[in-house]
Amino acid sequence: MAMLSLAIRARAKPNPLLTWRALHFRNFCSGCLGLSVPPVAGTKFLESFREEFEIGSRVISLETGEMARFANGAVVLGVEGTQVLSTVSAGKGDVIRDFLPLTVDYQEKQFAQGVIPNTFMRREGAPKERELLCGRLIDRPIRPLFPAGFYHEIQVMASVLCSDGKQDPDVLAANATSAALMLSDIPWGGPIGVVRLGRICGQFVVNPTMDELSLSDLNLVYACMRDKTLMIDVQAREITEKDLEAGLRLAHPEAVKYLEPQIRLAAKAGKQKKEYKLSVVSEQIFEKVRNLAEAPIDAIFTDPSYGKFERGEALERITQDVKSALEEKCDEQSLRTLPKVVDNVRKKVVRKRIISEGCRIDGRHLNEVRPIYCKAGRLPLLHGSALFNRGDTQVLCTVTLGSPQDAQRLDSLVGPPTKRFMLHYSFPPFCIDEVGKRTGLNRREVGHGTLAEKALVAVLPPEDDFPYTVRINSEVMGSDGSTSMASVCAGSMALMDAGIPLQEHVAGVSVGLVTDVNPETGEITDYRILTDILGLEDHLGDIDFKIAGTRNGVTAIQLDIKPAGIPLDIICECLEPARKGRLQILDHMEKEISVPRSRDDRNSPRLVTLKFSNDAIRKFIGPLGALKRKIEEETGARISVGDGTITIAAKNQAIMEKVLDKVDFIVGREIEVGGIYKGIVTSIKEYGAFVEFNGGQQGLLHISELSHEPVSRVSDVVSVGQQISLMCIGQDVRGNIKLSRKANLPRPESEEKGVTEGSAPVTKEKANIWASLENVSKVEHLKSTLEELPPNKMEKTETNRSASLQPAVVIRSAAECDEEEKSAGLSKTSKSAPKPKGTVKRGSKLKTVQSSSDKPGSSTLSSMLSESLSRMEAKKEFDSEDDGEANLNDQNKESDVKSPVTPQKLKLGTKVTAKIYQIRARGLVLDLGGGIRGMYRFEPNGEREFTIGDELQVQCSSFTSKGIPVMTLVDEE
């Protein structure tokens, strides 16, 4: 009655809220207005189930029911910001097979990290190496738990939905796959738990992040059931067997923590297991075939003289004989399963002999390693090579060195972006005498190559000490068990042969296990551990335990198990036989090559890293990298550019020298007095030539430095655009550079004779390198780098008084000289009348008077400055007089005088004996002694002939406005 009255009142006074709901509009609180669709009868809402638990201080969630509902089993596993979806599906129909067609596909799409793929189609392509390896990591622990005879097609697809880059999704995908199989109707003996373990500073870390893993010396992935081990994968930096065992025993209880949440989730949302048809061989058929084949098979396995292929042919003949016997009896059912049954008979015969007698197929003891033969440097023209034989297993490894630019780029969600060490494993069909087709990436080849790569990367030198990119090609020449471990041994020797400074040799060996199991309880009653197993022992045994390492410890492990788990105690017991076998192999390898070879011949590869400023690097690269590519095409070298560095990798020394010459020409290097440079003549003046060298720098090649012989015209020796080799013989405080061509040329015999027979000793001047003005503040004081210059005329005549304390000459750039020529032209037009020139004897031979060098005397700072200033002013004055014809500050050689003077002693009326230094168009440049230059103007209608080197008696008549002494002849007064 109360409900009725409430309804009547609501109808009498309409409630706005009830009115909106009656019209199927959303509530005002929803933030928007719009119609809401009423639920339809029979609609099934999404129902999700979730389990959360904590492992290694991180919360892990398992969720199902919301996504991929049509899959047989689907689970989303999340840790912090990383989520992985794993789905399981089973094929329909009963197809007759004799193996389990299990396919595991792991995929990392770029949307998981908010990135669009950088491919042309902007979508993901074929599976990458990492995706194949993660697929193998999921496959290996789940495969043994499918029931025997279950040959239905199963597909597992694991996809990363989102990744924060902190956790590696591979372990998460393996646990999600286990949970998905538990939810499905597929018969499976799980669940399993997979955990990653690291070690930082001696402390184990459960489920480390990627940052923690980069600091760890151990990367252990462990998969197990409640009491048995299923899979182990290890990459380490020479961890001892004792520490490794401690890590395995710690990882086991941590992995078991994954089991209960999966069981609880399966109890909530799991499907009932479906009854699939199993292909099981009946006991009657097995006994029938065993009676026919056991005795001849046992005879073959007890004869150690059989080789691999001889043994295989003999076993095949036995199979054909059994087949003929069954055909005579018309036993069609036995014929359909004959290959499988014969293989089971072989397995029982071999395992029985090993357990009861301790005898192996080839007659070896259980802990005996096959005969070893190894040879380093098998292919001498390559960077490095090695051939390794262990029994009938043979592997050839080659090493190729490259530049950092050759490093492999990785587009994975986690981990480093590049990889500078690669090992590519190849298993061609001829190595087992079969016919096959070479295809793309093979899961087995990728897995074996990665295992050998993990084993060797631990002993490589740091990247700062060895910046090369290294690629090893492992070519299997013959296979009879454990070719991956043979690749480790051959790869280690090939690296040594290439001259790579390895810390230690690395060797690997594969250990097998044969167990005797109680058929009723499934417990192991007896077992034998085999060292260095054959291919057939691997096939007929229970485990393939590959262990690689040095004398100091283990660097890589891969454990594959065929039965549904092996106790951890037995696994740990296998470590010691593997260590002893590894030491035996290392002894043979060290006898062949124990230290890295020295690669100092000109055919070995070269790698150089140069440091430049970013502006210089941009200049070297050119627009859009055109200049860099052109150098690579012309020389064949590889050039990579980093932040402030240019790394060059060349095949040999000759190519490296070509590239360095081009780099020096484009970018340049630090100018050193005495350094040899190649440059191109850019312009020619009457007093010399300007040369561009060392990355666009300009230097002056004076006419006096062109040749040991007198030169009347610069264009007679060099031309614009000509490339010449020069030596830097000076540099002033402003960075102006003085170059010499004749310093690079052999001296004439007559000059050498004059030097040796002359009375004056030859003193070699030590040139000073002056710091640039902007770098003065960066150093505490100026540092002079003393380098000897080649003997020339300058060294015979120049004194050491001022050269040891200051730059010999101030040299200007081409732009400055052009400005001076313009100013000289202006000053020339401003004069009222041209001055007449004297008659000069042009074709006369230049002479240089040799005298003993003066001892350096004490000079004050003012005298040095005035002397340098007088030189600069004299140059400018004559540039104005001669229309820029000469650079009078070029003081390559100083002439000796009979009455040396100083700037303080030179006054009006001072008479000195001067020497003609240069003959110009309107006058003479006189050497007054003491490094002082003066000028003498030709008298009108003068007819006197002058020769360079003549001595004149002159008198100081005046000084120019800039302090240049003007001299007159004494006999003219």
Side-chain angles (χ1 to χ4, degrees):
M1 191 68 180
M3 292 293 292
L4 181 60
S5 62
L6 178 62
I8 294 173
R9 284 196 299 271
R11 196 175 291 115
K13 296 181 179 181
N15 190 336
L17 183 61
L18 295 178
T19 303
W20 281 98
R21 288 180 177 176
L23 294 174
H24 306 301
F25 279 93
R26 294 182 181 179
N27 196 344
F28 291 105
C29 299
S30 65
C32 60
L33 298 177
L35 290 171
S36 61
V37 181
V40 181
T43 301
K44 183 177 180 180
F45 291 94
L46 297 179
E47 184 178 8
S48 61
F49 301 90
R50 185 182 181 91
E51 286 289 333
E52 289 187 353
F53 55 101
E54 184 175 340
I55 295 179
S57 72
R58 289 180 176 81
V59 177
I60 301 174
S61 64
L62 292 171
E63 187 176 356
T64 186
E66 186 177 11
M67 285 190 285
R69 294 172 53 238
F70 288 166
N72 203 326
V75 170
V76 176
L77 188 147
V79 178
E80 297 178 348
T82 302
Q83 295 187 24
V84 180
L85 169 66
S86 183
T87 61
V88 179
S89 300
K92 307 299 187 293
D94 297 328
V95 181
I96 299 177
R97 300 185 185 91
D98 59 351
F99 67 96
L100 172 62
L102 171 64
T103 303
V104 179
D105 293 323
Y106 172 88
Q107 191 172 27
E108 293 179 348
K109 292 193 174 182
Q110 294 299 310
F111 72 79
Q113 58 180 351
V115 174
I116 297 176
N118 198 25
T119 60
F120 178 77
M121 300 297 295
R122 294 299 187 265
R123 63 186 303 160
E124 289 78 8
K128 298 184 285 288
E129 284 190 13
R130 170 176 164 80
E131 293 174 330
L132 296 179
L133 294 173
C134 292
R136 282 172 55 88
L137 192 73
I138 300 170
D139 183 295
R140 286 158 53 195
I142 67 174
R143 185 179 290 271
L145 299 183
F146 288 95
F150 181 80
Y151 298 146
H152 292 266
E153 187 175 7
I154 305 296
Q155 184 177 31
V156 176
M157 298 191 70
S159 303
V160 182
L161 300 180
C162 60
S163 173
D164 57 3
K166 296 180 180 180
Q167 292 287 333
D168 196 329
D170 55 356
V171 171
L172 308 182
N175 287 291
T177 301
S178 173
L181 285 169
M182 291 292 295
L183 295 176
S184 68
D185 61 9
I186 302 170
W188 189 62
I192 66 170
V194 185
V195 70
R196 173 173 269 111
L197 197 71
R199 190 178 71 164
I200 304 175
C201 299
Q203 300 295 323
F204 290 107
V205 180
V206 179
N207 282 342
T209 63
M210 296 304 299
D211 293 337
E212 292 172 338
L213 205 59
S214 63
L215 303 175
S216 173
D217 62 352
L218 174 67
N219 185 1
L220 167 65
V221 179
Y222 181 84
C224 67
M225 301 171 65
R226 194 172 297 277
D227 55 354
K228 292 182 179 180
T229 301
L230 287 170
M231 186 269 296
I232 298 175
D233 196 277
V234 174
Q235 179 180 357
R237 299 175 188 167
E238 298 182 280
I239 186 173
T240 63
E241 281 77 8
K242 182 179 179 181
D243 293 342
L244 180 61
E245 181 178 348
L248 293 173
R249 296 192 181 279
L250 174 63
H252 187 89
E254 295 294 333
V256 170
K257 294 179 182 179
Y258 282 94
L259 305 184
E260 287 299 329
Q262 296 181 48
I263 295 174
R264 293 196 299 267
L265 187 65
K268 295 178 184 179
K271 300 178 181 178
Q272 185 177 359
K273 296 300 179 181
K274 183 179 178 180
E275 292 186 2
Y276 286 86
K277 182 179 180 181
L278 304 179
S279 300
V280 180
V281 178
S282 65
E283 190 68 25
Q284 180 182 2
I285 295 176
F286 178 79
E287 288 297 327
K288 187 183 300 183
V289 175
R290 185 175 68 85
N291 293 333
L292 295 173
E294 184 176 22
I297 289 175
D298 185 69
I300 292 174
F301 286 144
T302 54
D303 188 355
S305 63
Y306 280 103
K308 174 180 179 177
F309 293 102
E310 293 81 0
R311 186 185 302 114
E313 292 173 358
L315 293 173
E316 183 61 28
R317 286 195 295 269
I318 294 173
T319 303
Q320 294 300 325
D321 293 342
V322 174
K323 182 179 180 180
S324 300
L326 294 176
E327 287 176 348
E328 292 177 0
K329 297 179 181 179
C330 298
D331 192 345
E332 296 295 334
Q333 187 176 2
S334 299
L335 287 173
R336 284 196 297 268
T337 59
L338 179 61
K340 187 72 175 177
V341 177
V342 171
D343 188 65
N344 289 339
V345 173
R346 295 175 187 171
K347 185 176 182 179
K348 287 187 175 294
V349 170
V350 172
R351 295 169 68 91
K352 181 180 177 181
R353 292 188 69 250
I354 293 175
I355 291 290
S356 59
E357 304 175 15
C359 296
R360 301 175 66 171
I361 297 174
D362 55 355
R364 284 183 293 147
H365 297 293
L366 298 180
N367 59 351
E368 185 178 351
V369 179
R370 286 174 285 176
I372 294 174
Y373 167 79
C374 48
K375 183 177 182 180
R378 177 63 182 79
L379 304 173
L381 289 181
L382 302 184
H383 297 171
S385 62
L387 186 66
F388 181 84
N389 285 63
R390 184 174 57 229
D392 290 333
T393 297
Q394 184 183 66
V395 172
L396 172 68
C397 277
T398 61
V399 173
T400 307
L401 303 178
S403 65
Q405 188 180 8
D406 296 324
Q408 181 182 2
R409 295 183 181 180
L410 306 176
D411 294 329
S412 58
L413 299 180
V414 294
T418 59
K419 183 171 67 172
R420 73 182 184 98
F421 176 67
M422 301 159 281
L423 193 148
H424 296 156
Y425 171 94
S426 179
F427 192 88
F430 67 79
C431 69
I432 51 175
D433 195 22
E434 289 185 358
V435 177
K437 188 180 296 185
R438 299 308 305 271
T439 57
L441 287 178
N442 180 280
R443 288 176 181 257
R444 179 181 177 276
E445 291 183 349
V446 171
H448 281 49
T450 302
L451 175 62
E453 182 180 299
K454 290 179 180 178
L456 293 172
V457 74
V459 297
L460 287 177
E463 186 173 359
D464 294 338
D465 300 334
F466 190 80
Y468 289 86
T469 296
V470 183
R471 183 192 183 214
I472 297 180
N473 273 84
S474 176
E475 303 290 333
V476 179
M477 299 296 169
S479 174
D480 191 13
S482 190
T483 54
S484 61
M485 294 295 97
S487 299
V488 173
C489 302
S492 180
M493 291 192 299
L495 290 173
M496 286 260 189
D497 183 58
I500 300 176
L502 298 185
Q503 300 171 9
E504 294 280 344
H505 254 318
V506 183
V509 67
S510 185
V511 175
L513 178 71
V514 175
T515 60
D516 187 13
V517 181
N518 188 335
E520 297 180 358
T521 62
E523 298 294 330
I524 297 176
T525 58
D526 199 3
Y527 62 91
R528 296 288 184 271
I529 298 173
L530 312 178
T531 303
D532 185 22
I533 57 177
L534 298 171
L536 190 58
E537 291 172 335
D538 179 14
H539 173 68
L540 302 177
D542 293 329
I543 68 172
D544 183 10
F545 197 6
K546 301 180 177 71
I547 305 175
T550 66
R551 293 187 181 276
N552 302 324
V554 175
T555 58
I557 284 179
Q558 179 177 297
L559 171 63
D560 294 326
I561 296 178
K562 297 179 180 66
I566 299 291
L568 182 58
D569 292 337
I570 299 178
I571 299 298
C572 294
E573 189 178 342
C574 295
L575 295 176
E576 183 60 23
R579 186 186 71 85
K580 293 180 179 179
R582 186 171 76 245
L583 295 180
Q584 295 179 36
I585 300 172
L586 286 171
D587 290 338
H588 288 274
M589 294 169 57
E590 290 173 354
K591 289 179 181 178
E592 174 63 21
I593 180 170
S594 58
V595 293
R597 296 193 196 277
S598 59
R599 289 288 180 176
D600 53 357
D601 58 287
R602 294 184 61 85
N603 291 326
S604 60
R606 295 289 188 268
L607 189 141
V608 173
T609 300
L610 307 174
K611 294 184 178 180
F612 293 100
S613 65
N614 291 332
D615 292 337
I617 292 178
R618 280 193 292 269
K619 183 177 181 181
F620 171 75
I621 295 174
L624 300 177
L627 195 54
K628 170 178 165 290
R629 289 195 300 270
K630 181 180 179 182
I631 296 176
E632 289 179 331
E633 292 172 359
E634 291 178 353
T635 61
R638 299 284 185 90
I639 303 174
S640 60
V641 177
D643 187 11
T645 61
I646 297 176
T647 303
I648 306 169
K651 295 180 180 180
N652 50 52
Q653 182 63 27
I655 295 178
M656 177 60 72
E657 291 173 356
K658 290 181 181 178
V659 179
L660 290 178
D661 287 343
K662 293 180 179 294
V663 173
D664 289 343
F665 183 76
I666 298 172
V667 180
R669 60 179 188 266
E670 184 180 357
I671 298 296
E672 298 179 357
V673 175
I676 307 298
Y677 304 91
K678 290 182 179 180
I680 294 180
V681 179
T682 57
S683 63
I684 293 179
K685 308 295 181 181
E686 291 186 6
Y687 51 83
F690 285 97
V691 181
E692 181 179 349
F693 74 109
N694 199 44
Q697 292 182 310
Q698 290 278 348
L700 175 63
L701 175 61
H702 194 265
I703 188 173
S704 61
E705 295 294 337
L706 284 173
S707 175
H708 293 291
E709 299 296 329
V711 177
S712 59
R713 289 193 306 175
V714 178
S715 57
D716 293 341
V717 181
V718 295
S719 58
V720 176
Q722 180 181 350
Q723 183 173 354
I724 53 178
S725 182
L726 305 164
M727 175 185 287
C728 176
I729 59 174
Q731 186 176 8
D732 67 4
V733 292
R734 296 188 299 170
N736 298 319
I737 302 163
K738 180 181 179 182
L739 303 173
S740 174
R741 177 177 175 269
K742 71 179 183 181
N744 245 5
L745 301 176
R747 300 182 57 185
E749 295 182 0
S750 59
E751 185 177 346
E752 292 180 359
K753 184 177 180 180
V755 172
T756 56
E757 294 179 356
S759 59
V762 177
T763 4
K764 293 188 178 180
E765 179 187 355
K766 306 277 184 165
N768 291 332
I769 297 181
W770 290 68
S772 58
L773 296 179
E774 59 269 19
N775 292 332
V776 172
S777 60
K778 299 180 182 179
V779 295
E780 298 178 0
H781 59 279
L782 294 176
K783 299 181 179 180
S784 297
T785 303
L786 302 179
E787 296 188 7
E788 292 188 356
L789 296 179
N792 50 35
K793 297 180 181 179
M794 176 189 67
E795 296 169 347
K796 305 173 193 175
T797 60
E798 191 170 22
T799 62
N800 295 330
R801 184 176 62 81
S802 60
S804 60
L805 298 174
Q806 62 179 354
V809 66
V810 177
I811 303 175
R812 296 179 301 177
S813 64
E816 293 179 69
C817 289
D818 291 339
E819 292 178 4
E820 289 295 331
E821 289 180 359
K822 293 179 182 179
S823 62
L826 292 176
S827 62
K828 181 178 179 180
T829 56
S830 65
K831 296 186 182 293
S832 59
K835 296 183 180 181
K837 300 182 182 179
T839 304
V840 183
K841 187 177 180 180
R842 291 291 183 180
S844 60
K845 183 176 179 180
L846 300 180
K847 300 179 181 179
T848 302
V849 179
Q850 177 182 336
S851 64
S852 60
S853 58
D854 298 333
K855 294 184 180 179
S858 60
S859 60
T860 62
L861 179 62
S862 60
S863 64
M864 290 190 298
L865 292 176
S866 61
E867 184 176 344
S868 179
L869 181 61
S870 65
R871 297 174 186 173
M872 296 170 60
E873 299 302 337
K875 173 201 171 298
K876 294 181 180 179
E877 185 71 21
F878 270 103
D879 279 347
S880 176
E881 293 283 344
D882 299 335
D883 198 15
E885 186 177 4
N887 184 354
L888 298 184
N889 281 327
D890 184 10
Q891 300 181 33
N892 181 31
K893 294 174 285 191
E894 293 187 1
S895 303
D896 188 21
V897 294
K898 297 180 179 179
S899 301
V901 295
T902 62
Q904 292 82 0
K905 294 181 181 180
L906 188 61
K907 301 177 181 178
L908 292 176
T910 303
K911 295 181 181 181
V912 296
T913 301
K915 189 178 294 184
I916 298 177
Y917 182 71
Q918 287 182 352
I919 302 174
R920 312 307 302 168
R922 300 187 179 185
L924 303 176
V925 179
L926 302 178
D927 186 353
L928 305 180
I932 303 176
R933 299 286 185 265
M935 55 184 296
Y936 166 74
R937 294 187 178 93
F938 291 141
E939 295 295 331
N941 301 322
E943 297 296 334
R944 182 172 178 178
E945 294 184 354
F946 297 95
T947 305
I948 293 177
D950 288 349
E951 293 184 354
L952 303 174
Q953 291 294 327
V954 293
Q955 181 180 4
C956 180
S957 60
S958 64
F959 289 92
T960 66
S961 60
K962 299 179 180 178
I964 304 298
V966 179
M967 314 302 292
T968 59
L969 295 177
V970 175
D971 54 357
E972 290 182 354
E973 292 182 348

